[in-house]
Amino acid sequence: MEQSTPRAKIVQNFPAYGVSWSPSGGDTGKLLAPDDVFGDSEGSWDGVESEGGIALLKLRQGSKTQVSQATAGLSGLTTQCHVPHQSPRAQRAGDSVRRQLTLAAAAGIKAVIFYSDNLHFLEFNPGQDRDLLPTTSVDGSEADLLLQDLAAGPVVIHVDLEVRLVRTETFNIIATTPGVTSTHLIGAHLDSVPSGPGINDNASGVAVLLETALKRAGDRRNPWRFCWWGGEEAGAQGSSRFVRELQASGGIDRIKGYVNLDMAASPNHVISVYGNDQGLEGLYTEYFQDSQQPWVREDVSVGSDHRPFMAAGIAVAGLGTWGPHQVKTDEEHALFGGTAGEPYDPNYHSSQDDLANVSWSALATCAAATYAANRAVTE
């Protein structure tokens, strides 16, 4: 999904799960938002020149949903991603969503972009929901930017969605200290997207994890289990299966926390910590405070391998080199250098995500912090 007016930018950086595919070449139209923001009343589109438009609609929280067993996927302009089984923070097409889409279609809308304060993607069953409009989603911060642009003047959006049914075969590598019952896990994903070599995303996280494991190898009381996941780009398939097997065996109750390493060397980096547990996040933030290393906090999302652990009720934290915004802010530039107004990694999911386009200093910072965080947990 791409915004071409008033300025060119990609506004979809999160997994986009769709209903039906766009026509060949996609749809381009004016971005439209009804006065009631939801677009689910009979008069929502009255007085709006909506024919051929792209609708930006807010999702009602608590909407009745229907569970889908689909393993469908969608690739857009810049990403390839797949629908995971029982994804957290995903809304499936229930009666409320169907009404919004049906009314939009009746008004001549060609595609719908949903948003809410805590939404990162929508999930639909392409077999059951193929009668609905091509649909994708953005999070609340992206929606705020679009609404600001819309208030200032016309916004033109191009949406090109493709539904794929994909079977993913992958594997995990797990390293545990012999004779120790692991209470904490730390992981990074091994795979990349087909369009690029994946050096920042995620050979960087893999390297940090491997370096940490090698340094901790001599500690026979180490409570950490080191995990290299497969299938993250296909919907966190490897880590999701691991969690399901832990739940089936009863081992999930022994896990006190999971730390995720993803994209540890972005060229226009910030040092970013995220999570849903202050104690686990503190393994990193206390180190940064003690070493006078700047850092920013990123809201925990569903975009990586911490997702299935979080859904299972396990405390999670993570380290990365992107930030809470689409591009680096002036404040972040003052803290970390680099270029304000530019993406943290302009080579994300592209053929340019190679060794020539990473920040070695960011990688070293993430490695030092992860080793310190790892050592801080003892049993």
Side-chain angles (χ1 to χ4, degrees), residues 187-188 199-200 202-210 228 261-264 363:
I199 299 303
N200 184 35
N202 184 41
S204 62
V206 167
V208 169
L209 183 59
L210 181 59
W228 289 266
L261 302 169
D262 199 347
M263 297 178 65
L363 185 67

Side-chain angles (χ1 to χ4, degrees), residues 116-138:
S116 74
D117 295 334
N118 65 348
L119 174 68
H120 283 273
F121 58 84
L122 287 163
E123 183 175 320
F124 296 92
N125 185 323
Q128 297 176 3
D129 300 324
R130 281 271 304 279
D131 58 311
L132 302 179
L133 287 173
T135 307
T136 186
S137 57
V138 294

Side-chain angles (χ1 to χ4, degrees), residues 171-176 182 184-186 225-230 236-249 251-252 255 257-258 305 308-309 312 314:
F171 59 88
N172 299 324
I173 298 173
I174 311 295
T176 306
S182 299
H184 287 72
L185 290 85
I186 182 170
R225 190 180 306 180
F226 298 88
C227 310
W228 289 266
W229 308 118
Q237 296 296 324
S239 54
S240 294
R241 177 166 181 170
F242 180 86
V243 169
R244 290 198 300 271
E245 290 175 349
L246 272 183
Q247 290 172 319
S249 68
I252 198 75
I255 305 303
Y258 171 72
D305 286 302
F309 293 96
I314 294 174

Side-chain angles (χ1 to χ4, degrees), residues 7 21 65 91 133 178 197 208 210 274 278 281 351 370:
R7 55 183 181 271
W21 53 80
T65 61
Q91 299 284 341
L133 287 173
V208 169
L210 181 59
Y274 59 90
Q278 289 186 348
E281 291 179 58
S351 61
T370 298

Side-chain angles (χ1 to χ4, degrees), residues 13-350:
N13 292 318
F14 293 97
Y17 298 92
V19 181
S20 64
W21 53 80
S22 299
S24 179
D27 281 306
T28 299
K30 287 185 177 181
L31 187 68
L32 303 171
D35 290 339
D36 64 3
V37 304
F38 299 106
D40 57 0
S41 66
E42 289 294 339
S44 289
W45 294 104
D46 290 351
V48 180
E49 296 182 7
S50 53
E51 185 70 32
I54 308 295
L56 181 64
L57 299 178
K58 190 169 185 178
L59 190 73
R60 286 193 183 276
Q61 296 304 296
S63 301
K64 181 180 178 182
T65 61
Q66 52 182 259
V67 175
S68 158
Q69 302 299 321
T71 54
L74 166 79
S75 65
L77 294 175
T78 58
T79 62
Q80 180 174 349
C81 41
H82 310 278
V83 175
H85 175 63
Q86 294 185 340
S87 307
R89 292 177 70 186
Q91 299 284 341
R92 291 183 171 87
D95 294 340
S96 176
V97 175
R98 279 187 165 272
R99 179 173 177 80
Q100 289 172 285
L101 293 172
T102 300
L103 290 173
I109 296 295
K110 296 299 183 183
V112 171
I113 305 164
F114 277 110
Y115 71 96
S116 74
D117 295 334
N118 65 348
L119 174 68
H120 283 273
F121 58 84
L122 287 163
E123 183 175 320
F124 296 92
N125 185 323
Q128 297 176 3
D129 300 324
R130 281 271 304 279
D131 58 311
L132 302 179
L133 287 173
T135 307
T136 186
S137 57
V138 294
D139 72 349
S141 61
E142 293 283 1
D144 287 343
L145 292 174
L146 289 173
L147 290 169
Q148 290 172 19
D149 289 342
L150 192 58
V155 175
V156 175
I157 292 285
H158 178 75
V159 177
D160 192 355
L161 304 176
E162 179 182 346
V163 173
R164 295 180 181 179
L165 298 178
V166 177
R167 178 182 177 87
T168 302
E169 295 183 5
T170 186
F171 59 88
N172 299 324
I173 298 173
I174 311 295
T176 306
T177 303
V180 176
T181 300
S182 299
T183 57
H184 287 72
L185 290 85
I186 182 170
H189 73 85
L190 289 163
D191 61 319
S192 179
V193 293
S195 58
I199 299 303
N200 184 35
D201 185 18
N202 184 41
S204 62
V206 167
V208 169
L209 183 59
L210 181 59
E211 178 71 8
T212 304
L214 290 172
K215 286 184 175 180
R216 296 300 312 275
D219 184 352
R220 292 301 175 183
R221 298 172 298 171
N222 182 10
W224 288 90
R225 190 180 306 180
F226 298 88
C227 310
W228 289 266
W229 308 118
E232 188 270 352
E233 299 290 1
Q237 296 296 324
S239 54
S240 294
R241 177 166 181 170
F242 180 86
V243 169
R244 290 198 300 271
E245 290 175 349
L246 272 183
Q247 290 172 319
S249 68
I252 198 75
D253 294 334
R254 294 194 300 269
I255 305 303
K256 296 180 180 179
Y258 171 72
V259 171
N260 195 58
L261 302 169
D262 199 347
M263 297 178 65
S266 299
N268 193 29
H269 71 275
V270 298
I271 303 298
S272 179
V273 179
Y274 59 90
N276 66 356
D277 182 88
Q278 289 186 348
L280 204 59
E281 291 179 58
L283 298 176
Y284 281 103
T285 58
E286 289 175 12
Y287 169 80
F288 291 142
Q289 289 169 353
D290 292 343
S291 61
Q292 297 185 326
Q293 166 63 52
W295 58 279
V296 297
R297 191 181 189 281
E298 164 76 355
D299 288 340
V300 63
S301 71
V302 295
S304 193
D305 286 302
H306 56 277
R307 177 173 67 213
F309 293 96
M310 187 168 61
I314 294 174
V316 302
L319 180 67
T321 53
W322 64 93
H325 309 283
Q326 184 181 27
V327 297
K328 178 172 281 189
T329 65
D330 291 334
E331 293 79 6
E332 290 168 345
H333 166 72
L335 289 173
F336 302 99
T339 306
E342 293 295 327
Y344 303 106
D345 185 359
N347 311 299
Y348 174 69
H349 280 188
S350 79

